[in-house]
Amino acid sequence: ISIEPYPPRAGEPVAICTRIRNYADVAQTVQVEFSVAGFGIGIPFTPIAPPMMVEVPAESEEEVCVN
């Protein structure tokens, strides 16, 4: 998981990204959801963007981001 810009600046948009890898020899479609939670045990996660369906080609990777 990465953010850009780093460090984040107050009042400016930030891109939150992750890389999804597919080690299979066929393309895979996965659902990606970004969520946040406060610090602590048992704290629920709150989605920050709607889930996205991402197709990852065979034996490759894709970067998925939300702003």
Side-chain angles (χ1 to χ4, degrees):
I1 298 172
S2 64
I3 62 171
E4 182 67 35
Y6 185 82
R9 294 182 282 274
E12 293 186 19
V14 173
I16 302 170
C17 303
T18 189
R19 297 200 69 77
I20 311 269
R21 291 188 179 100
N22 178 9
Y23 294 103
D25 58 357
V26 295
Q28 301 287 324
T29 300
V30 296
Q31 180 174 304
V32 178
E33 184 174 351
F34 290 89
S35 300
V36 297
F39 291 107
I41 297 174
I43 306 295
F45 283 84
T46 303
I48 59 172
M52 296 175 274
M53 299 305 290
V54 178
E55 183 170 330
V56 185
E59 299 177 358
S60 82
E61 59 185 42
E62 290 287 323
E63 184 173 57
V64 182
C65 300
V66 295
N67 290 316

